[in-house]
Amino acid sequence: MGAVRSPAIVVAGHVVGNPAHAIVQYLDQHGGTVTHYDFRAATFGQINPDLIRATRSPWMGSRISAKEAAWIIDCGSSAPWAAIPLEAQLKEADPLAEGGLYDRAAALWEHFWDGRPANVSTAKISKVLYLMRPGLFPILDSYLTRFYRTAARAAAIDVGQKRPSQGQFKTLYWEAVRRDILGGEAGLRVLREVLAVAESPLAAEAAGRLSDLRLLDMLAFAA
């Protein structure tokens, strides 16, 4: 396959010099995940056993047990999905906008977070919610939380100073990722253009189907 190149993008303070090459490499190594997990996103009307299966090995390795799955499915049946459009994007979720998309996303998250059983935590919930709203919810597994921790702490301090009601949070991962999406919009746009004409059919399909949020997540692994 011929070389691909796009302008650098900053992810959590780290520079990815050639994002197009990084994404193509990711797709080469994790094509099954993209096909069987990512491309299933936004195709579910409700959380169901099929969605839960998509989060498990060999694609995402969520390790959601049968008992946990039953709880997540039941919790999802009463979740406030209607408050958040299917096409909602994290870049539009400003934590300073009271009553806006960020607050509605937080309410949806808390619907699953409050009263969750033991061993159901951030990674499992985020892998499920990503499939329901793929442009909005980052996949906050252990790697991404470590990678973004410093940026998330800085975002929490900044937001807490401007909106005191958010001052209780020591880390704001969504906002840290959102700031990278906004700062990298031009680079992400060129990245899509390059991937769309790449020799790899999967790269071309990913360019049209993956959210900016997920592309940035892939770049975090490259960084």
Side-chain angles (χ1 to χ4, degrees):
M1 177 177 175
V4 292
R5 178 164 292 279
S6 67
I9 293 175
V10 178
V11 186
H14 301 263
V15 177
V16 180
N18 184 358
H21 178 70
I23 294 296
V24 168
Q25 279 197 319
Y26 183 97
L27 295 173
D28 284 345
Q29 296 168 7
H30 305 286
T33 296
V34 174
T35 300
H36 298 283
Y37 176 74
D38 288 287
F39 289 171
R40 303 292 306 282
T43 66
F44 300 93
Q46 284 284 349
I47 299 173
N48 59 30
D50 194 26
L51 182 148
I52 298 296
R53 277 192 294 272
T55 72
R56 292 181 174 137
S57 295
W59 314 123
M60 288 301 290
S62 70
R63 292 183 293 181
I64 295 174
S65 68
K67 186 176 180 179
E68 292 164 357
W71 179 86
I72 292 171
I73 291 169
D74 181 64
C75 190
S77 67
S78 59
W81 303 113
I84 300 177
L86 190 63
E87 67 277 8
Q89 299 296 310
L90 182 60
K91 69 179 182 180
E92 300 164 352
D94 184 354
L96 300 180
E98 190 169 351
L101 178 60
Y102 182 92
D103 285 0
R104 298 196 304 274
L108 177 57
W109 178 273
E110 288 163 8
H111 178 82
F112 288 88
W113 188 259
D114 296 342
R116 68 196 184 281
N119 298 321
V120 171
S121 194
T122 302
K124 291 178 180 179
I125 294 172
S126 67
K127 287 175 181 178
V128 168
L129 292 188
Y130 168 82
L131 288 178
M132 294 296 291
R133 298 293 186 271
L136 181 61
F137 290 103
I139 303 168
L140 294 176
D141 57 14
S142 59
Y143 175 83
L144 199 68
T145 52
R146 285 195 305 270
F147 188 76
Y148 261 98
R149 187 164 292 134
T150 299
R153 286 171 177 163
I157 292 171
D158 184 48
V159 170
Q161 290 173 343
K162 297 172 180 175
R163 187 181 175 189
S165 64
Q166 296 295 308
Q168 61 181 304
F169 300 107
K170 302 301 182 184
T171 54
L172 287 180
Y173 285 96
W174 295 355
E175 177 61 5
V177 176
R178 188 181 85 96
R179 293 180 180 194
D180 278 349
I181 292 173
L182 291 172
E185 277 191 298
L188 287 165
R189 184 167 55 250
V190 176
L191 170 60
R192 287 186 186 281
E193 293 170 354
V194 172
L195 294 176
V197 295
E199 294 177 16
S200 163
L202 183 57
E205 188 173 5
R209 297 184 63 175
L210 296 182
S211 63
D212 283 350
L213 171 61
R214 184 62 166 125
L215 290 174
L216 202 72
D217 178 86
M218 293 175 178
L219 293 178
F221 284 88

